[in-house]
Amino acid sequence: DIQMTQSPSSLSASVGDRVTITCRASQSISTYLNWYHQKPGKAPKLLIYAASSLQSGVPLRFSGSGSGTDFTLTISSLQPEDFATYYCQQSSSSPYTFGQGTKLEIK
Amino acid sequence: EVQLVESGGGLLQPGGSLRLSCAASGFAFNTYAMTWVRQAPGKGLEWVSTINRDDSTYYSDSVKGRFTISRDNSENTLFLQMNSLRAVDTAVYYCAREMTGQYWYFDLWGRGTLVTVSS
């Protein structure tokens, strides 16, 4: 199975900050990488697919980049509604594994 | 409204069985692959099973042989039959719509249903 490792595991930031979360795959996955976020008690929500494609309706402050084994999710200017847990997921091969999550908290 | 609504969760003892349902509405259910993802309390997301449009099925090693995914396109409903349940199966179970093509991702999720396995 492909292992997905996110860093950091948790992050404190302030409204207006620029934030970057990293995801590393244990083997090359080309650009088969998706990002989700999840608020407490809620279902995950798709943000980015194919490493850099913004899902319809997702604000432009979210962006993704990377290919092969190293990927990043960037939030250009944090808004209050962005404080959540973020997950990367590979869809290169089954089983579609997720990263362990990055909890983004208010500083 | 485009949505997925899970049901069927509950509390049961180890070794028991349970059938989860996921009712889809607002989109052409029969044209999508569908997936179950679970999340143990305080933990991350774990892919469980997928059923494609052609009814081909896939399972994680942790549930293979115990869980069965199926769908009823006439009722726009996804199912997960769970047998020989263990404490480690305790989780919120989400159904998700899977976009397929050049890339694969889960673009629509239900709110989840909680399954608790405990003696």
Side-chain angles (χ1 to χ4, degrees), chain A residues 31-32 34 36 38 43 49 91, chain B residues 39 94 102-104 106 110:
Chain A
T31 55
Y32 292 95
N34 310 313
Y36 305 84
Q38 184 182 33
Y49 64 93
S91 58
Chain B
Q39 185 170 36
Y94 297 100
Q102 182 178 7
Y103 290 94
W104 299 267
F106 306 134

Side-chain angles (χ1 to χ4, degrees), chain A residues 1 30-32 34 36 38 41-46 49-50 55 87 89 91 94-96 98-100, chain B residues 37 39 43-47 50 58-61 94 98 102-112:
Chain A
D1 297 0
S30 183
T31 55
Y32 292 95
N34 310 313
Y36 305 84
Q38 184 182 33
K42 303 293 186 181
K45 176 185 175 183
L46 176 68
Y49 64 93
Q55 171 68 354
Y87 295 95
Q89 177 227 356
S91 58
S94 184
Y96 292 166
F98 292 86
Q100 81 279 14
Chain B
V37 173
Q39 185 170 36
K43 302 298 184 181
L45 301 169
E46 178 189 13
W47 171 79
T50 292
Y58 303 87
Y59 300 92
S60 67
D61 287 345
Y94 297 100
E98 183 172 340
Q102 182 178 7
Y103 290 94
W104 299 267
Y105 49 92
F106 306 134
D107 73 324
L108 178 68
W109 297 66
R111 297 185 66 177

Side-chain angles (χ1 to χ4, degrees), chain A residues 6-23 35 37 47-48 60-65 71-80 82-86 102-107:
Chain A
Q6 292 179 229
S7 61
S9 295
S10 63
L11 175 61
S12 294
S14 302
V15 173
D17 284 354
R18 179 183 179 89
V19 167
T20 297
I21 298 170
T22 297
C23 179
W35 290 98
H37 76 181
L47 301 172
I48 301 283
L60 293 175
R61 61 181 180 273
F62 290 93
S63 64
S65 65
F71 302 86
T72 59
L73 172 71
T74 299
I75 310 171
S76 60
S77 179
L78 272 175
Q79 298 302 300
D82 299 336
F83 292 94
T85 299
Y86 289 77
T102 295
K103 187 173 184 179
L104 179 53
E105 299 175 304
I106 300 174
K107 183 182 288 184

Side-chain angles (χ1 to χ4, degrees), chain B residues 73-111:
Chain B
N73 290 334
S74 67
E75 295 291 334
N76 294 331
T77 303
L78 175 72
F79 300 102
L80 186 67
Q81 177 67 43
M82 304 186 296
N83 298 330
S84 303
L85 281 161
R86 306 165 181 167
V88 294
D89 296 318
T90 295
V92 174
Y93 284 74
Y94 297 100
C95 67
R97 184 175 75 178
E98 183 172 340
M99 293 297 289
T100 58
Q102 182 178 7
Y103 290 94
W104 299 267
Y105 49 92
F106 306 134
D107 73 324
L108 178 68
W109 297 66
R111 297 185 66 177

